[in-house]
Amino acid sequence: MRCLLLIPVAWVLTGCSVDFQGWGGMKQQPKALPYRESAFFADERAMRQPPVGTVPRDRRGKDRFLLTGKDAPDGGYVDSIPLTVTRELVESGGRSFDIYCATCHGVLGDGVSQVARNMGLREPPSLVDMPPYPDGYYYDVITQGFGLMPAYAEKLTPEQRWAVVAYVRALQESQRARLEDVPPEARPQLEKGGPP
């Protein structure tokens, strides 16, 4: 009697691999794998572009300027960082910069690094000597990548990318600063050789 009860259970458990109407069961089902060819689509690509205007679920309710760095009407870049720039924001941008950017752009953002010296095609630019691009431009480059620089949208959240922009702005200001730009009460300390 027990043997008769085990037969349907065994049949159900092996049902996933049973060929049903020529489909080969669940283990051999027709499916498109990422980065593979697919005869189903005319361009033979398995991966599809999302429809225009698609917004990922985790971005619902967030400001468009925060996510894209661009103005909606003309598609130009925003001129300022859409977050409140605080010391904590700049410092967190500095930590992200040290991890992802300093390897190529140098610790000071001047394009001087061991990786930059060994690049055969094109050295990374100095962020200090760049033309006066708007903040949205830097954000877009961090998000999309540029030339040999990869995109960092999957590694850094929008807030972290804006923090890196804030840090790059601080680097640019610090590298271009003159003694006359420093408040009078801080000048003696700088003339002595550094912070207290």
Side-chain angles (χ1 to χ4, degrees):
M1 182 69 178
R2 285 187 186 174
C3 291
L4 291 176
L5 290 175
L6 290 177
I7 291 173
V9 171
W11 181 76
V12 168
L13 291 176
T14 61
C16 294
S17 61
V18 173
D19 186 5
F20 181 71
Q21 296 180 353
W23 283 68
M26 290 179 70
K27 290 183 180 178
Q28 291 83 30
Q29 65 180 319
K31 60 187 171 217
L33 298 173
Y35 302 105
R36 302 276 172 87
E37 293 179 1
S38 172
F40 184 78
F41 297 105
D43 61 2
E44 296 183 351
R45 293 185 309 172
M47 294 178 69
R48 312 310 303 160
Q49 288 288 351
V52 176
T54 301
V55 178
R57 296 174 104 189
D58 62 339
R59 294 185 182 174
R60 286 184 303 185
K62 290 193 177 180
D63 185 4
R64 180 180 57 254
F65 304 129
L66 177 78
L67 297 174
T68 65
K70 296 181 182 177
D71 280 330
D74 63 357
Y77 297 111
V78 294
D79 290 323
S80 60
I81 298 170
L83 299 173
T84 303
V85 179
T86 61
R87 181 183 187 114
E88 291 78 23
L89 182 77
V90 174
E91 287 175 351
S92 73
R95 288 189 293 275
S96 296
F97 183 90
D98 289 344
I99 293 168
Y100 297 106
C101 312
T103 307
C104 295
H105 291 286
V107 176
L108 300 176
D110 56 4
V112 178
S113 71
Q114 187 63 40
V115 171
R117 284 191 285 275
N118 292 328
M119 289 186 100
L121 297 174
R122 180 176 177 228
E123 291 184 0
S126 167
L127 300 175
V128 176
D129 298 330
M130 293 197 72
Y133 291 120
D135 292 336
Y137 172 80
Y138 289 101
Y139 179 84
D140 189 53
V141 169
I142 294 168
T143 303
Q144 305 291 332
F146 187 84
L148 298 175
M149 178 181 151
Y152 288 99
E154 293 201 12
K155 298 190 184 301
L156 298 170
T157 66
E159 291 81 7
Q160 290 172 319
R161 284 178 261 156
W162 282 114
V164 170
V165 173
Y167 184 74
V168 167
R169 289 300 193 201
L171 276 178
Q172 290 172 338
E173 289 299 318
S174 70
Q175 298 303 307
R176 297 177 188 154
R178 300 168 305 174
L179 188 58
E180 297 81 38
D181 298 331
V182 177
E185 62 274 6
R187 290 180 192 169
Q189 189 63 41
L190 287 176
E191 290 170 344
K192 280 195 243 176

